[in-house]
Amino acid sequence: MTTPTKIASWNVNSLNVRLPHLQQWLDAAAPDIVGLQETKLEDARFPDAALAEAGYRSVFAGQKTYNGVAILSRTPAEAVQVGIPGFEDEQKRVIAATVGDVRVVNLYVVNGQDVGTDKYAYKLRWLEAVQGWLMRELLAHPKLVVLGDFNIAPDARDVHDPAVWNDDHILTSTAERDALRRLYDLGLHDAYRLHHEDGGVFSWWDYRQAAFRRDMGLRIDLTLVSEALRGDCSGAGIDREPRTWERPSDHAPAWVELAR
DNA sequence: ATGGTTGTAACACAA
């Protein structure tokens, strides 16, 4: 009997502001691997020493003000890849690394602002590039975990109000969901859905309109596991608690467990 | 439907 490997994803919306929350949550949840998004820190300012004190090594790719991703792990991360190979992008949205026998791809998917905008077009182009890359990545690394802030709610169960969050709305539009489906078609499975058929469980709540208090959320923070890992995936969930803390991120951490 | 809030930074922009 071995302890499962716990792998989590959390959009912290500024690691500078949220470091105390991250430390508290690492202590309580004891994940083995964590993908962070929206660190909003240049690499020189990344708090790797503080995280080492908590027992985690860090690899990271950041920039000032926007974006920024990192992978924390208890054991060393190897073969670190920043960005999507062959896709020019100034925005730091992607970091991948091998931890133990698992390849971890951490994505901060483009938000897209509104359907029909330039940013929406960039989101769809970006997702197409991710799809091509993951197809190749799976050949090299069959044991693949793709996690992150996907900025796409997979289906109507993953939104508080499907009438508002419909086929024409950002984060739920047909083209965005089609792009996500093409990742599923590579043999990647939404780990949460492997264990839960229920709806109404969310990972993100807008800061506005008291959305968290009213549980007006979306499930947009996902962990996809490859076919080779599907049978090992023993559980998945979302920790709502950090969203109740003072001055929280607008996202809650999502996690999966892999029997190793 | 528009505006609501947060973070960074700088009085706008992205989410």
Side-chain angles (χ1 to χ4, degrees), chain A residues 111-143:
Chain A
N111 173 285
Q113 192 176 45
D114 273 310
V115 173
T117 61
D118 288 350
K119 286 174 188 165
Y120 183 75
Y122 165 52
K123 180 176 197 172
L124 296 181
R125 271 201 320 278
W126 193 93
L127 286 165
E128 191 175 9
V130 165
Q131 181 200 336
W133 173 44
L134 292 181
M135 181 164 57
R136 302 191 298 277
E137 200 72 355
L138 269 163
L139 293 173
H141 308 281
K143 294 184 180 179

Side-chain angles (χ1 to χ4, degrees), chain A residues 48-64:
Chain A
D48 48 346
L51 292 168
E53 295 226 350
Y56 294 87
R57 302 161 189 252
S58 308
V59 294
F60 40 86
Q63 63 189 92
K64 227 186 259 188

Side-chain angles (χ1 to χ4, degrees), chain A residues 91-111:
Chain A
Q91 304 190 11
K92 302 295 190 201
R93 298 180 170 278
V94 175
I95 190 166
T98 300
V99 182
D101 65 345
V102 176
R103 184 70 176 167
V104 178
V105 172
N106 177 22
L107 304 177
Y108 174 44
V109 174
V110 177
N111 173 285

Side-chain angles (χ1 to χ4, degrees), chain A residues 192-213:
Chain A
Y192 182 83
R193 279 281 166 249
L194 293 178
H195 295 277
H196 307 278
E197 283 300 321
D198 58 315
V201 175
F202 309 127
S203 66
W204 170 79
W205 301 260
D206 200 295
Y207 285 123
R208 295 165 285 193
Q209 299 176 302
F212 182 67
R213 184 178 56 72

Side-chain angles (χ1 to χ4, degrees), chain A residues 172-188:
Chain A
T172 52
S173 72
T174 302
E176 291 166 88
R177 283 174 165 166
D178 284 350
L180 180 59
R181 190 162 302 108
R182 284 192 286 272
L183 302 186
Y184 296 166
D185 289 343
L186 298 173
L188 296 169

